[in-house]
Amino acid sequence: MTTASSPIESVLVENRVFPAPAEFAAKARISGMEQYQALCAEAERDYEGFWARLARENVVWSKPFTEVLDSSNPPFFRWFADGELNASANCLDKHMGTAVEHKTAIIFEADGGEVTKVSYRELLDRVSQFANALKAQGVQKGDRVLIYMPMTIEGVVAMQACARLGATHSVVFGGFSAKAVQERIVDVGAVAVITSNYQMRGGKELPLKAIVDDALALGGCEGVRHVFVYERTATACAMVQGRDKTFGEILAGQSTDCAPVAVGAEHPLFILYTSGSTGKPKGVQHCTGGYVLWAKQTMEWTFDVRPEDVFWCTADIGWITGHTYVAYGPLAAGATQIVFEGVPTFPHAGRFWQMIERHGCSIFYTAPTAIRSLIKAADSDQAVHPSNWNLSSLRLLGSVGEPINPEAWMWYYKNVGGERCPIVDTFWQTENGGHVISPMPGATPLVPGSCTLPLPGIKAAIVDETGHELPDGAGGLLVISKPWPSMIRNIWGDPERFKKSYFPAELGGQIYLAGDGAVRSEDRGYFRITGRIDDVLNVSGHRMGTMEIESALVAKTDLVAEAAVVGRPDDLTGEAICAFVVLKRGRPSGEEARQIAKELRDWVAKEIGPIAKPKDIRFGDNLPKTRSGKIMRRLLRSIAKGEAITQDTSTLENPAILDQLAQAN
Ligand code: WTA
């Protein structure tokens, strides 16, 4: 075990192994490595047959498919393309008349602690009624609807109602700014926006609808005919006559019966924006059939979910994890799940543990960044340590979104899981639709800091820059060498970027490039993710593009001449954003520098959202550049880390700049 200070570097050496607990394995769907290997072998023998079997077992088709994989136009792969289904019917209708109908679907806990429960039957009624309301307002199959909602039952209802009509939703996380909302509305071509008057977070009432108003006022949003407003709180918000309507207004008189609209398997279920290596976020387009299949199958394989489980994924519906493991997967699997509106530290940092006890949570899935911040809180205040609560209902823990450092893994394992619960460290991406590399909890021996092995059917590999597979122990590019059903279908409106980003010609044009580096261990062939290979940062489990933040900074044209953004390791947030800025007016110092740094942070919050605010801002007279004018980011990364520069700086045009930038402001 290492004690390196960075959460990313500290996963380098790890010898501890935790076999699947016998009691867990005895009941698990994948019970032991033989069973896991048998599934992998089945996929190896007959790849299409394997996926066809899963698609028949996991999905209710209104028209069965006869084709499995269509590779005629790579990399635009199609799965089950002549089949028809409805995603909402696969989450709700199929449970009617079964034991699940009157089971609790969602236990909602509000920021302030109030609890509301809805059964599958009630959820279906609410989704149907909301779908009827949308339909009456003119929303139809193929339309795009932007959702900007807090974590509420209504947020899930809004997504499911769109799916029911065959309308494609695009959910934007409530922490994004008006500008970010506007860009997404324009790019996706939304006809309607579903939002909430306010959201409650950490005891504060924060506006959402007002941000939508600002977004629409920025222009280019003429396609938006309606804004539907959920009245989360009693506080009024401004309403535009003719355009804005409350949920109460549109739901009045609507029936709770609404036939689900059958769509083709390839019909876009949703478009979710994520950061890439250029300034413009990518609209990741997912299909219906393959996505629903994997959402359900991974609930059963990775989480081994059973009828009596109380599942809790803490992710917001604004991220992919909240799509697959809040809005779709748990419902498709007929599970009872917790939906939480608030934040882990309000009213105290024991909130998660308190909620696990209160609701008898048995499967808990969260991000390393949350675990790290709760470790820190528990270290400084024993009263919020998990040991203060009865967590014996837990049987499985999960981690997602960023590498989990072995120290945090061990703490989670001991203090939350009572050394009894396996931890599934799930590696996947917005583009993957669901888990691609993860332990199977009843089978895979766990190694802290490793996401272990690919799921059956997922052909993950590590290759060099020419696409050749590398031996175990050698670090390289993580790829998935065969198409799989829940993979990204396109970048909305930008097929060229889709090809270039994910299926680069250098790798043959058909292999999915994840954008992460990885290495396989020589002893077990386990995967360990070493971090992004592109200009994407992972800050508190949120993906941020360095170019996106740079574009935001240089858009402050009255102040900023040039900016370069890099990441540096951070014990709490995984990575932290560090910006190097050249001002038009010359390099500021002292109080002036602090003032301007604050101004720039607020500006970035306005341009993108508070999650993109740089932690460090350093001012220079210039940036380190090669003689041909290229910014040398690797030097900036070293400076950001506080490392001595050991790289060759002979090609640098202006070496003196390094000392200047190394001085903290
Ligand atoms: C990182 C989140 C290490 C990775 C579901 C990936 C991880 C990016 C893990 C995707 C993990 C996600 N171990 N790194 N278990 N899970 N990542 O699109 O860099 O928000 O490329 O999807 O998060 O982030 P995204």
Side-chain angles (χ1 to χ4, degrees):
M1 176 185 160
T2 65
T3 50
S5 58
S6 130
I8 291 155
E9 284 164 8
S10 62
V11 290
L12 287 176
V13 184
E14 183 56 63
N15 299 317
R16 287 166 296 195
V17 181
F18 298 83
E23 200 191 329
F24 195 104
K27 288 196 283 183
R29 281 196 185 72
I30 299 184
S31 173
M33 287 308 275
E34 301 71 32
Q35 214 177 328
Y36 163 77
Q37 277 147 3
L39 285 162
C40 296
E42 181 191 344
E44 201 66 45
R45 262 193 326 273
D46 177 8
Y47 193 65
E48 290 192 30
F50 167 82
W51 286 111
R53 174 174 77 75
L54 299 188
R56 287 194 190 98
E57 285 173 9
N58 284 287
V59 180
V60 178
W61 298 92
S62 43
K63 177 173 170 256
F65 59 89
T66 60
E67 300 161 23
V68 183
L69 169 62
D70 171 2
S71 307
S72 59
N73 182 26
F76 299 93
F77 300 103
R78 292 155 58 86
W79 284 90
F80 320 117
D82 63 344
E84 288 182 8
L85 75 160
N86 179 278
S88 160
N90 268 277
C91 293
L92 301 168
D93 307 52
K94 76 162 187 215
H95 300 305
M96 298 306 116
T98 76
V100 176
E101 176 168 359
H102 299 292
K103 176 179 173 174
T104 300
I106 297 178
I107 303 171
F108 172 68
E109 182 164 320
D111 188 58
E114 310 81 15
V115 173
T116 317
K117 294 183 183 180
V118 289
S119 69
Y120 272 88
R121 174 81 250 173
E122 289 161 338
L123 191 61
L124 172 60
D125 288 350
R126 283 169 73 163
V127 168
S128 298
Q129 193 182 31
F130 198 75
N132 279 330
L134 291 177
K135 196 160 44 170
Q137 299 294 323
V139 174
Q140 48 184 342
K141 179 176 168 185
D143 283 345
R144 271 88 57 209
V145 175
L146 190 117
I147 298 179
Y148 189 59
M149 288 281 280
M151 278 299 281
T152 46
I153 297 173
E154 286 68 17
V156 175
V157 167
M159 293 166 78
Q160 285 280 340
C162 288
R164 199 162 184 85
L165 298 178
T168 301
H169 58 68
S170 186
V171 185
V172 178
F173 174 60
F176 277 111
S177 69
K179 177 91 185 297
V181 172
Q182 180 251 4
E183 283 168 2
R184 286 156 176 76
I185 288 174
V186 172
D187 192 79
V188 88
V191 302
V193 177
I194 304 176
T195 188
S196 174
N197 60 348
Y198 293 89
Q199 60 175 336
M200 294 301 302
R201 279 174 79 81
K204 293 197 204 85
E205 188 179 34
L206 306 168
L208 278 182
K209 166 63 166 56
I211 296 174
V212 172
D213 290 341
D214 290 348
L216 295 175
L218 287 171
C221 304
E222 292 69 28
V224 175
R225 298 190 296 265
H226 304 284
V227 177
F228 304 122
V229 184
Y230 167 51
E231 289 170 294
R232 168 65 189 89
T233 68
T235 315
C237 67
M239 297 288 277
V240 175
Q241 272 278 317
R243 188 194 72 188
D244 304 349
K245 297 188 182 72
T246 65
F247 274 28
E249 283 167 338
I250 62 167
L251 287 169
Q254 292 299 337
S255 145
T256 54
D257 279 323
C258 173
V261 175
V263 299
E266 286 294 314
H267 181 75
L269 177 61
F270 64 86
I271 295 156
L272 180 60
Y273 285 83
T274 190
S275 296
S277 24
T278 72
K280 195 170 173 273
K282 310 188 265 204
V284 173
Q285 180 184 325
H286 275 286
C287 74
T288 304
Y291 175 81
V292 168
L293 153 62
W294 205 227
K296 162 124 182 319
Q297 185 67 82
T298 51
M299 284 298 298
E300 295 182 350
W301 281 352
T302 313
F303 295 124
D304 193 47
V305 73
R306 334 205 117 256
E308 59 280 10
D309 274 316
V310 176
F311 177 82
W312 184 14
C313 164
T314 66
D316 192 281
I317 52 167
W319 308 112
I320 190 68
T321 309
H323 278 60
T324 310
Y325 300 108
V326 178
Y328 291 104
L331 300 176
T336 294
Q337 71 169 320
I338 299 169
V339 170
F340 176 43
E341 178 179 40
V343 297
T345 48
F346 175 81
H348 54 76
R351 181 76 183 262
F352 275 1
W353 324 131
Q354 187 179 34
M355 283 181 61
I356 289 170
E357 176 183 302
R358 183 178 191 190
H359 303 297
C361 172
S362 56
I363 304 176
F364 180 65
Y365 188 41
T366 196
T369 194
I371 299 166
R372 287 192 296 265
S373 76
L374 298 179
I375 295 175
K376 199 169 160 212
D379 280 351
S380 60
D381 178 6
Q382 189 55 35
V384 297
H385 192 278
S387 59
N388 293 288
W389 287 276
N390 178 357
L391 306 182
S392 59
S393 57
L394 287 171
R395 65 182 198 95
L396 178 63
L397 302 175
S399 169
V400 59
E402 44 177 330
I404 179 164
N405 45 309
E407 292 75 13
W409 195 102
M410 285 308 305
W411 187 92
Y412 194 31
Y413 186 73
K414 284 191 182 147
N415 296 289
V416 183
E419 299 184 45
R420 155 189 97 247
C421 308
I423 299 179
V424 284
D425 175 358
T426 61
F427 170 85
W428 60 298
Q429 311 172 293
T430 304
E431 294 86 345
N432 303 157
H435 306 144
V436 290
I437 307 180
S438 169
M440 299 291 98
T444 320
L446 307 172
V447 171
S450 168
C451 51
T452 74
L453 296 168
L455 272 80
I458 303 292
K459 297 291 291 175
I462 297 173
V463 301
D464 66 14
E465 260 127 36
T466 58
H468 289 102
E469 201 156 342
L470 290 166
D472 289 352
L477 310 173
L478 177 65
V479 298
I480 302 179
S481 56
K482 277 190 177 182
W484 71 104
S486 70
M487 72 197 293
I488 176 176
R489 291 305 194 266
N490 208 341
I491 292 178
W492 182 255
D494 202 346
E496 279 311 309
R497 190 174 176 197
F498 169 74
K499 285 201 245 180
K500 260 188 24 211
S501 310
Y502 304 113
F503 299 92
E506 300 87 305
L507 302 183
Q510 299 216 24
I511 292 179
Y512 172 81
L513 176 69
D516 280 285
V519 60
R520 287 177 88 151
S521 67
E522 282 167 293
D523 52 349
R524 299 173 178 270
Y526 276 10
F527 284 77
R528 183 167 57 75
I529 306 300
T530 53
R532 299 286 309 190
I533 50 163
D534 52 11
D535 296 317
V536 172
L537 305 183
N538 194 322
V539 182
S540 299
H542 299 150
R543 254 169 88 166
M544 300 297 332
T546 54
M547 302 289 273
E548 217 175 321
I549 306 167
E550 283 171 17
S551 309
L553 285 167
V554 296
K556 183 110 183 85
T557 48
D558 56 330
L559 269 180
V560 177
E562 248 187 321
V565 170
V566 298
R568 67 161 164 76
D570 184 282
D571 281 344
L572 214 55
T573 57
E575 277 185 292
I577 301 167
C578 197
F580 295 87
V581 177
V582 180
L583 294 182
K584 286 187 171 159
R585 65 166 80 159
R587 181 171 179 251
S589 61
E591 188 48 33
E592 193 199 0
R594 271 189 291 280
Q595 288 279 338
I596 296 177
K598 179 175 182 311
E599 197 179 330
L600 291 179
R601 274 193 198 99
D602 292 344
W603 170 262
V604 172
K606 201 164 131 285
E607 286 287 293
I608 306 174
I611 52 172
K613 279 187 186 184
K615 185 157 181 181
D616 287 354
I617 296 187
R618 297 186 189 209
F619 298 102
D621 292 322
N622 211 325
L623 296 172
K625 287 184 188 155
T626 60
R627 292 194 172 83
S628 58
K630 211 167 162 264
I631 298 173
M632 294 185 73
R633 283 163 203 283
R634 62 188 169 86
L635 295 179
L636 291 176
R637 276 193 280 271
S638 297
I639 294 174
K641 273 196 217 171
E643 281 174 0
I645 305 280
T646 51
Q647 298 103 323
D648 176 18
T649 55
S650 58
T651 55
L652 209 57
E653 156 109 58
N654 49 352
I657 197 68
L658 297 178
D659 286 337
Q660 189 187 72
L661 291 171
Q663 293 163 28
N665 286 300

